[in-house]
């Protein structure tokens, strides 16, 4: 597997592949990769001739006081995992390559509506940073398909909307969340958890499942959301939200609406903020 940091080298390699008629799959990441990321690369591998992954800790999607500085940077380890997952090229640019005028002076994209709720309400500007960097990376890599994990469900919706609205020539695909045996969604941020908090963290998934089951039994959405938040609080979490939404557009479902829903939770445990979600079948 090749690793490139510069845009010119990346473009030349991609041009060479295109000249041979190869299709390109792309997995953008913040790095510190785990089995969840590797599963996205394997999915791309199965669908396209060439697979590119990017590792870039994007400053514009972290708010003040968030974990930009301490976000684990583990490029050597990421290279080993990506090579094992049969990635062809790792693009690992620096900030100046992605933001030639500086991260705080960049053109910035805003996806309306979808970004004003849930994560967007608790992390102002986060999705502008995500939309901007994803668009820049798509312009550089020019993939046929790009694959995102469903753990960041709202991010996936924002990117789908971005691609549709800007007519970007890329097919967005998603892959299911990978979980530890106890149900905790794999996340680079799990390593921030103390041993005690790690033992408590699977309660998020348990709560999501309970939300799904209570809705299936006909309980009112607002009551289910409140019960979920209280359960998390009793266990020591500080929930930002425990919400049931329409999976399609994250709008609040009408009373009695049972089809196509998703439960989403964001909660702090100690100094770690965890998110997870569960699609209702
Ligand atoms: O989900 C991530 O890893 C990031 O938000 C992404 C999509 C790579 C943009 O920086």
């Amino acid at each position: 597997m090749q690793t490139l940091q510069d845009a010119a080298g990346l473009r030349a390699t991609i041009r060479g592949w295109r000249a041979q008629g190869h299709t390109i799959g792309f997995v953008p990441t913040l790095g510190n990769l785990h089995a969840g990321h590797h599963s996205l690369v394997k999915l791309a591998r199965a669908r396209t001739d060439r697979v590119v992954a990017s590792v870039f800790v994007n400053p514009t999607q972290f708010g003040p006081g968030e974990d930009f500085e301490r976000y684990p940077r583990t490029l050597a380890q990421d290279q080993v995992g990506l090579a094992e997952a049969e990635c062809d090229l790792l693009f690992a640019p620096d900030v100046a390559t992605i933001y030639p005028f500086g991260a705080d002076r960049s053109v910035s994209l805003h996806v309306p509506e979808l970004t004003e709720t849930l994560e967007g309400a608790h992390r102002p500007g986060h999705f502008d940073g995500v939309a901007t960097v994803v668009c820049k990376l798509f312009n550089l890599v020019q993939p046929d398909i790009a694959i995102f994990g469903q753990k960041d469900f709202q991010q996936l919706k924002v990117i789908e909307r971005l691609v549709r609205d800007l007519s970007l020539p890329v097919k967005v695909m998603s892959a299911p969340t990978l979980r530890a045996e106890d149900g905790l969604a794999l996340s680079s941020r799990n390593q921030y958890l103390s041993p005690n908090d790690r033992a408590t963290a699977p309660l998020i998934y348990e709560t999501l499942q309970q939300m799904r089951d209570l809705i299936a039994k006909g309980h009112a959405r607002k009551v289910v959301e409140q019960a979920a938040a209280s359960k998390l609080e009793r266990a020591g979490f500080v929930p930002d939200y425990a919400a049931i939404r329409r999976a399609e557009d994250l709008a609040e479902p009408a009373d009695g609406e049972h089809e196509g829903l998703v439960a989403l939770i964001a909660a702090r445990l100690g100094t770690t903020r965890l998110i997870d979600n569960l699609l209702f079948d």
Side-chain angles (χ1 to χ4, degrees), residues 232-246:
L232 291 167
E233 271 163 11
R234 282 195 302 277
F237 290 88
V238 180
D240 279 345
Y241 55 81
I244 294 161
R245 296 294 176 92
R246 277 189 200 144

Side-chain angles (χ1 to χ4, degrees), residues 191-231:
Q191 64 195 272
Y192 300 155
L193 294 166
S194 69
N196 270 350
D197 288 345
R198 174 62 189 82
T200 308
L203 198 81
I204 292 188
Y205 186 50
E206 192 185 306
T207 307
L208 287 166
Q209 291 172 300
Q210 200 171 63
M211 291 168 84
R212 175 197 58 199
D213 296 345
L214 289 173
I215 290 290
K217 284 186 189 147
H219 291 266
R221 176 175 64 89
K222 288 246 154 75
V223 175
V224 173
E225 290 174 345
Q226 190 51 56
S230 303
K231 179 180 164 122

Side-chain angles (χ1 to χ4, degrees), residues 12-236:
T13 303
I14 302 275
R15 241 192 335 268
W17 289 344
R18 288 282 179 211
Q20 295 171 61
H22 289 165
T23 54
I24 293 164
F26 180 40
V27 179
T29 80
L30 294 172
N32 193 238
L33 307 180
H34 50 66
H37 298 107
H38 300 150
S39 74
L40 306 183
V41 171
K42 285 176 192 156
L43 186 58
R45 176 84 276 158
R47 302 248 167 187
T48 51
D49 301 317
R50 296 291 184 167
V51 180
V52 179
S54 63
V55 166
F56 179 62
V57 186
N58 172 35
T60 64
Q61 69 186 78
F62 290 80
E66 292 190 352
D67 55 346
F68 175 68
E69 299 298 342
R70 73 168 172 148
Y71 198 89
R73 278 124 170 121
T74 52
L75 193 65
Q77 183 189 308
D78 292 346
Q79 284 170 314
V80 173
L82 286 170
E84 277 171 11
E86 296 184 53
C87 180
D88 294 297
L89 194 163
L90 167 59
F91 181 49
D94 60 11
V95 173
T97 299
I98 298 296
Y99 296 107
F101 297 94
D104 48 358
R105 295 178 56 226
S106 167
V107 169
S108 177
L109 291 170
H110 178 68
V111 176
E113 293 149 10
L114 266 176
T115 60
E116 280 140 33
T117 182
L118 303 169
E119 284 302 281
H122 290 273
R123 301 184 68 191
H126 167 67
F127 287 122
D128 294 357
V130 170
T132 303
V133 80
V134 166
C135 192
K136 284 169 174 273
L137 290 167
F138 283 179
N139 284 337
L140 287 161
V141 176
Q142 304 197 348
D144 297 284
I145 67 169
I147 307 187
F148 296 85
Q150 285 168 6
K151 188 178 88 64
D152 295 296
F153 190 76
Q154 189 174 7
Q155 167 174 282
L156 175 64
K157 294 283 129 186
V158 169
I159 291 165
E160 285 172 354
R161 170 83 182 269
L162 172 81
V163 162
R164 201 161 156 218
D165 207 341
L166 296 186
S167 310
L168 300 178
V170 52
K171 180 177 165 148
V172 174
M173 295 183 61
S174 68
T177 305
L178 290 200
R179 300 182 178 281
E181 271 185 19
D182 58 11
L184 179 65
L186 297 193
S187 164
S188 304
R189 291 187 168 106
N190 291 349
Q191 64 195 272
Y192 300 155
L193 294 166
S194 69
N196 270 350
D197 288 345
R198 174 62 189 82
T200 308
L203 198 81
I204 292 188
Y205 186 50
E206 192 185 306
T207 307
L208 287 166
Q209 291 172 300
Q210 200 171 63
M211 291 168 84
R212 175 197 58 199
D213 296 345
L214 289 173
I215 290 290
K217 284 186 189 147
H219 291 266
R221 176 175 64 89
K222 288 246 154 75
V223 175
V224 173
E225 290 174 345
Q226 190 51 56
S230 303
K231 179 180 164 122
L232 291 167
E233 271 163 11
R234 282 195 302 277

